[in-house]
Amino acid sequence: MRVAHAHSIDRAAQALLARELPHSWARGAAGDDYGLDYYVDAVEAVYLTGIRFGVQLKGIEKPNIVDSCIHFPFPTKNLGTYLTAEPLPVLLVVADVSSEKAYFLFLQRYADEALVDEEWADQQTVTGKVPLHNRVADHTRLRSAVVDANEYVLAARAAPDIVLRRRSEAL
């Protein structure tokens, strides 16, 4: 893929994410690209809710759809960082720029539940299976998923020895 074409897809994915997130939610760049592209704060009725999450945005033109999920290769090193060092929930957002639809997957729970039996830590990438029903534009589903993701991460912090042992074994 040409570099200019990749940048074009990236810009289209950024614009798509901005259109599909709730307009009241605050989205800020994460800074240097260490795996996260944005931090998002859920804002309702002009007040911060305390619900915050990270976004790893990936733009694509031709999704690989299998069993109502977009199969997307994701760098193992990034996933390992999210599991061991990121205090916020991280959503992988796959933006299909050809259909102008964006989909999300809560990565920490996905790794803890879907990858538990896989020996993925030695691989370069893992395949994230992003459900087609997880549309960013479905604000009710997105808000519910983000609330659940925040609760999941808080629970993991409340029992870190159990969670970290499981994650260390996986890595």
Side-chain angles (χ1 to χ4, degrees):
M1 181 180 310
R2 299 181 327 269
V3 172
H5 187 65
H7 286 292
S8 174
I9 291 172
D10 187 49
R11 283 191 303 277
Q14 291 173 32
L16 179 57
L17 177 65
R19 283 192 310 273
E20 290 208 352
L21 279 175
H23 295 294
S24 63
W25 288 17
R27 175 178 56 96
D32 293 328
D33 190 9
Y34 291 111
L36 287 180
D37 296 307
Y38 299 101
Y39 288 109
V40 179
D41 288 287
V43 178
E44 294 178 5
V46 302
Y47 296 103
L48 288 172
T49 62
I51 299 168
R52 190 168 205 234
F53 60 98
V55 171
Q56 174 62 62
L57 178 64
K58 298 295 184 183
I60 58 172
E61 283 185 307
K62 297 174 186 159
N64 177 21
I65 299 173
V66 179
D67 296 330
S68 298
C69 292
I70 296 174
H71 286 222
F72 188 85
F74 189 79
T76 302
K77 66 179 180 160
N78 290 14
L79 185 57
T81 299
Y82 302 151
L83 289 172
T84 59
E86 180 56 55
L88 295 176
V90 177
L91 298 186
L92 169 63
V93 175
V94 177
D96 178 359
V97 299
S98 59
S99 71
E100 295 193 7
K101 295 177 182 174
Y103 308 88
F104 66 89
L105 176 66
F106 172 36
L107 285 172
Q108 287 104 322
R109 175 175 275 156
Y110 181 76
D112 285 343
E113 295 176 358
L115 300 178
V116 70
D117 293 328
E118 292 185 28
E119 294 184 23
W120 56 268
D122 294 328
Q123 302 171 184
Q124 291 288 93
T125 62
V126 294
T127 299
K129 296 175 184 173
V130 185
L132 293 176
H133 64 262
N134 281 357
R135 286 281 317 278
V136 173
D138 181 345
H139 296 167
T140 301
R141 179 180 287 278
L142 176 64
R143 186 184 190 293
S144 177
V146 170
V147 167
D148 288 346
N150 273 265
E151 290 172 0
Y152 186 89
V153 169
L154 284 174
R157 278 192 241 149
D161 55 329
I162 296 167
V163 173
L164 288 176
R165 185 173 56 248
R166 278 185 53 204
R167 291 177 177 174
S168 294
E169 290 168 1
L171 293 172

